[in-house]
Amino acid sequence: TGAPMIITAEGLDQNEVHCKFSSVTPAGNAWKVSAACSVQGDEQTHEFTFAVAGDQMTVTDDVGTNDMQRCQ
């Protein structure tokens, strides 16, 4: 989606996706995250890897990889 992703220490929100992080583990220059998510009202667990370099973050999950640009 083209909707902005808002990430805090507790979770993330993007359009109709809302996740609460249950664990965050450092993995080199990335973080492995387990989360309980509501996706368009469907409750599910989800695994992410977030890697940050400068103003860019790469999000990898079972769907694929997305590069995102930080905005203010």
Side-chain angles (χ1 to χ4, degrees):
T1 104
M5 178 184 288
I6 299 169
I7 301 172
T8 66
E10 291 81 30
L12 70 82
D13 290 291
Q14 183 180 31
N15 197 21
E16 294 186 23
V17 177
H18 311 283
C19 297
K20 182 175 181 180
F21 299 156
S22 52
S23 71
V24 178
T25 307
N29 67 339
W31 293 268
K32 292 189 178 279
V33 177
S34 295
C37 300
S38 172
V39 180
Q40 296 182 344
D42 180 32
E43 301 295 324
Q44 53 190 266
T45 58
H46 206 74
E47 305 289 324
F48 303 94
T49 300
F50 295 123
V52 178
D55 284 343
Q56 185 167 327
M57 178 176 68
T58 301
V59 180
T60 305
D61 61 13
D62 59 348
V63 176
T65 300
N66 290 306
D67 292 323
M68 300 184 179
Q69 185 69 34
R70 182 178 183 177
C71 60
Q72 302 267 337

